[in-house]
Amino acid sequence: MLSADVRFEGFTATDWVRVLSLFRPRRAGIEREADRPRGGVVAVHAGGKLRKLMHTDAGRLRIDDAQRAAPRSAEELAARHHASWAAVIEAGALEAIVERFGARVRRGDDLIAQTLLLLQLAREELLAGKIDLWPARLRGVPMPSPVVVRGTLESLAGVGKTMVIGLFEGGELWTSVALRRDARGINLILGPDEVRKDMGLLAGDWRRDYRHLSRAIEERAGELSLGCFAEAETIRKLEVDPSPGAWARAVAVRDVILAPVPAALAIPLGIDAGRAALSALRAIAERIDPMGIVAPAMRAVLERAGTDSEMAAMLPFHPLELLRKLISRER
């Protein structure tokens, strides 16, 4: 269950589906709709035999004799059923996670502590080989500690401040999510259904209408510490764009508006812009320096730009790169 001090309000079913759709795995560039893998496959096995096979789009699947004898890996399962993700789970693994979660969670644990505990227990089952997931987008990314999560939250929003992302489409508010922080963590998750009627008449230009959304959020949730506004399609493209400077370029040309923007995001955006400039300089250097004298120095500067110590002191990860790893379907 959610922590008792967290309120979740203002979402219709459509609004919530739209929020979740932002995290649907996809590739950079345009995918042909007919060729795109769809849905996910979940297989449950016990005693070396496949017991259940479910597809999120097609429902329960028939298990033939060849499948029953030897459960496939999650990657093979996804390829066989043309799915975008797959999970192979040993019978009893999920029950073990829930039982251990119930035994270790404490009444005073906030939402952050509960979420990290649940993720840690699931990871233990994954490392034990009882759960196989594909694709493993966050392989190699360490499990954050509560101190890291709270420090990151503190760098983005002070106590009593609110973070919001608002997405527009066709001149209308498509969806939004506002998170308000108190001394313990997030205490309010506010959706767009509560603020649409407070926004008043819209001009149909999201670059002006975002101000009405900001005002409506502040009236209901408090002062903003971070606001991110854009068209939904712009965010979908940026989430999986691996090119240096993509986010910084979008902010510069106002395809994405950050208002206000805390230093914790200003720093990686600045690094993103710097990496784009250095990447362009390296390309020029390779043209005018066929002997390769300048290229090693440029490469060293690029590596330094990707691991800036000032950013690492504030955030122990690069938030834009972590988002791309989470969403991108590339292996």
Side-chain angles (χ1 to χ4, degrees):
M1 61 175 291
L2 291 178
S3 176
D5 57 351
V6 178
R7 289 180 12 233
F8 184 92
E9 58 188 48
F11 287 94
T12 64
T14 299
D15 293 327
W16 187 239
V17 168
R18 286 174 174 177
V19 170
L20 296 180
S21 72
L22 295 173
F23 300 94
R24 176 178 61 80
R26 52 190 170 273
R27 292 187 179 92
I30 300 174
E31 292 182 300
R32 289 185 298 175
E33 196 67 18
D35 296 338
R36 180 173 63 83
R38 295 179 176 277
V41 182
V42 179
V44 179
H45 65 94
K49 292 185 178 181
L50 195 60
R51 300 298 186 187
K52 292 183 180 179
L53 189 61
M54 298 287 295
H55 194 290
T56 57
D57 288 351
R60 188 163 184 169
L61 302 175
R62 188 177 67 87
I63 303 174
D64 57 38
D65 292 338
Q67 287 177 299
R68 191 180 299 278
R72 297 171 178 265
S73 69
E75 183 175 359
E76 292 173 327
L77 198 64
R80 177 183 175 92
H81 296 281
H82 197 57
S84 62
W85 63 272
V88 178
I89 305 171
E90 183 177 317
L94 298 182
E95 289 85 347
I97 292 174
V98 173
E99 289 177 3
R100 290 160 63 195
F101 178 77
R104 292 172 58 177
V105 73
R106 296 293 179 263
R107 183 182 298 274
D109 288 348
D110 61 12
L111 183 59
I112 292 174
Q114 291 185 34
T115 302
L116 291 178
L117 174 59
L118 193 59
L119 291 175
Q120 180 62 42
L121 295 174
R123 187 182 187 189
E124 290 174 3
E125 296 295 303
L126 189 70
L127 294 176
K130 296 182 180 181
I131 299 177
D132 179 23
L133 297 177
W134 184 88
R137 297 184 185 89
L138 298 183
R139 179 177 294 156
V141 177
M143 177 71 67
S145 68
V147 173
V148 168
V149 174
R150 291 189 175 92
T152 301
L153 194 60
E154 176 66 35
S155 67
L156 294 175
V159 174
K161 300 293 184 65
T162 301
M163 302 172 286
V164 62
I165 177 170
L167 302 181
F168 295 80
E169 189 173 86
E172 301 288 341
L173 177 62
W174 188 68
T175 196
S176 68
V177 181
L179 307 176
R180 185 178 66 196
R181 179 173 178 262
D182 65 5
R184 295 178 50 127
I186 300 299
N187 71 343
L188 174 64
I189 303 174
L190 181 65
D193 194 51
E194 292 289 322
V195 297
R196 280 193 178 99
K197 57 181 176 290
D198 297 334
M199 291 176 63
L201 293 176
L202 301 183
D205 179 358
W206 72 268
R207 289 181 177 85
R208 286 186 289 173
D209 291 336
Y210 85 88
R211 295 186 179 91
H212 300 298
L213 175 59
S214 295
R215 174 184 49 77
I217 292 290
E218 287 191 322
E219 288 176 353
R220 285 184 171 265
E223 181 183 354
L224 294 186
S225 66
L226 166 63
C228 177
F229 310 95
E231 291 187 314
E233 187 59 30
T234 299
I235 294 297
R236 290 193 189 100
K237 292 177 181 178
L238 287 173
E239 283 177 332
V240 295
D241 191 338
S243 59
W247 281 90
R249 184 166 54 251
V251 172
V253 300
R254 287 175 63 84
D255 282 343
V256 174
I257 293 177
L258 299 177
V261 55
L265 279 186
I267 290 174
L269 280 172
I271 292 173
D272 198 33
R275 289 178 62 226
L278 289 169
S279 181
L281 286 174
R282 183 174 64 176
I284 295 172
E286 288 173 350
R287 293 196 191 108
I288 65 176
D289 179 34
M291 301 298 292
I293 298 173
V294 179
M298 293 296 300
R299 186 160 43 249
V301 175
L302 279 169
E303 290 173 356
R304 169 64 178 168
T307 57
D308 186 88
S309 59
E310 186 179 359
M311 183 188 73
M314 295 188 67
L315 293 176
F317 57 87
H318 195 301
L320 304 179
E321 181 62 19
L322 182 63
L323 178 64
R324 191 183 72 80
K325 285 185 176 182
L326 178 65
I327 304 299
S328 177
R329 192 180 286 141
E330 302 299 337
R331 298 187 186 183

